[in-house]
Amino acid sequence: MNGLQTARLGLARGGIELRQTFTYGPDLVAYLFFPVIDLGVLFLMRGHQVPGTSFSLGSLTLPSVIGLGLAFGGLVGVTAQLCSEREDGTLLRAKATPGGMTGYVIGKICYISAGALAGLVGTLVIGLIAFAGLQLTLGGVATLAWVSVLGLLATIPLGIVAGSLLPNPRFMPLVMLPFGAIAAVSGIFYPITHLPDWLQVVGQVFPVYWVGLGARAALLPSSLASVEIDGSWRLPLAFLVLALWSLLGLALAPTVLRRMARHESGSRVAARRERAMLRAT
Amino acid sequence: MRYGPLDVLNGIDFEIRTGEVVALLGPNGAGKTTTIEILEGFRTRSAGQVTVLGLDPARGGEQWRARLGVVLQSWRDHHKWRVRELLQHLGRYYARYATPEFPRPWQADELIDLVGLSAQADKRISNLSGGQRRRLDVAIGIVGRPELLFLDEPTAGFDPVARREFHELVHRLTDIERATVLLTTHDLAEAEKLADRVLVLAGGQIIADGSPDDLALRLSAQAEVRWTVDGQRYVHPTDEATAFTRKLFTQYGEAVEDLEVRRANLEDTYLTLVEEHEQ
């Protein structure tokens, strides 16, 4: 019963934060920045064809970008939020409230998931209208649904772990740079099959490749599976890899988060404030 | 309590009774914040026994947490939220812990009125002034109608007007709510004004415990007599203020003007105490 009430409070919190993002200029700009640039670039790529086919390169890349956006929101989004809200004392306030930490985490998961899914739907709608060759069948919707849910499940807990471990937001490059490197070898903007073998292996270890692959499987004609590794969408394997990352994240996140939260206190936040102020002046 | 090999608190022992307002004083590094954070359950102690509202803070659950109020110093947390929105949201966490004696939470508008933020209720928190933010901090600290309230240096950085307003707010709280309050401060006038009892912490130990008046009396019988005769101002410290003043009247009669007898205040007492401790 109590758990249900707290879950409801978390949901309310996520809703409030989502509304704030969509009604606050700077947040909205930050939220739309990458999707708009990506879509713009893809739009310019429409005229080019996937080598060996007559399919538009822009249309091929769009589903991958949807997958990338999901993984980026889940991992980098959560890390950045957790990190900065720990520094500014939001977390300590949650800790001082009965059930507040649970509510905070549920709220954050809802906020990030809803934000990522809204981005997905937005990009998808634009893609279906403006990019030739994309198709959305009932089966595709189902694939996209499970890939999205599992993609968020695989990345959000990892984001919670990273956000708990980073000392402050100035350390964000420690997450951004590896994420960028992983994205580069995940077949998002550049086909993974054109990379050296060992880089293909590296790319396939991480969730980004599989979320992108799943999105392509959902939105592209089945004939295009031919340009993938093994000439197949390999959905069972995508499910397995994403599920393993989810399990790993879910196993680590609560412990790491609790350990971090246990050490939060007024004097810690005050010390961080002082340090950040020194940097600012 | 220990940091590395250094004991920050050593053998401190005190009790705060229901409804008391207690000020914890002491020089920087005396262990005030450490003490208060152990009591809040935000910090684990290395040794000793602590009971807050009947439970060990290290093991206090959510139900225990609901009976506490902690006034934290905000910085820029929740800056996108609006005042009423945040108080309403945070208040909802306390609803299930309501009792007939402590109806929880405070109604957001009532609380906003109490801390004097009615005109700012729909403002974004980032648009509040420093003083308004502090009042919001207090409102957040008490939104669950706490039975015990912690205030760690609540008026640090306040201008005199904001400080006066804050003192009035605390008086209102302790009068209306009969909440128990533990506060730390560097402002001795503030402690004298707000606290029923003062604890002085120095070098990780309690070196004095009593009401501000008690402490002043215990430590120093000396008073300062000031007067004017024929436009000339005099100041004289004495151990026997009554006898001295009487002599003054015998000698000058009605010519004594602007007579003032000033007992040692908490600041004098405090400085004496800390100085003695350091020697």
Side-chain angles (χ1 to χ4, degrees), chain A residues 268-280:
Chain A
R268 281 208 155 208
V269 172
R272 279 198 292 262
R273 175 173 46 212
E274 236 152 71
R275 237 174 294 138
M277 293 293 186
L278 275 181
R279 281 177 52 88

Side-chain angles (χ1 to χ4, degrees), chain A residues 49-103:
Chain A
Q49 264 101 44
V50 181
T53 72
S54 61
F55 200 79
S56 151
L57 197 57
S59 303
L60 173 81
T61 313
L62 188 120
S64 313
V65 167
I66 287 181
L68 178 70
L70 209 68
F72 183 83
L75 186 89
V76 180
V78 171
T79 309
Q81 291 250 323
L82 204 59
C83 207
S84 71
E85 296 195 339
R86 178 157 47 105
E87 178 174 62
D88 72 21
T90 307
L91 245 98
L92 182 60
R93 282 220 197 280
K95 195 180 161 187
T97 311
M101 267 312 280
T102 316

Side-chain angles (χ1 to χ4, degrees), chain B residues 111-127:
Chain B
L111 185 57
I112 288 168
D113 198 37
L114 181 80
V115 298
L117 287 176
S118 300
Q120 287 77 32
D122 292 311
K123 267 196 175 181
R124 272 186 202 282
I125 292 173
S126 54
N127 292 334

Side-chain angles (χ1 to χ4, degrees), chain A residues 5 13 19 27 93 99 267, chain B residues 37 62 77 80 85 137:
Chain A
Q5 276 173 328
R13 188 181 174 93
R19 199 190 62 226
D27 272 11
R93 282 220 197 280
S267 51
Chain B
E37 287 183 349
E62 302 299 338
D77 64 286
K80 281 179 250 167
E85 185 176 55
D137 290 337

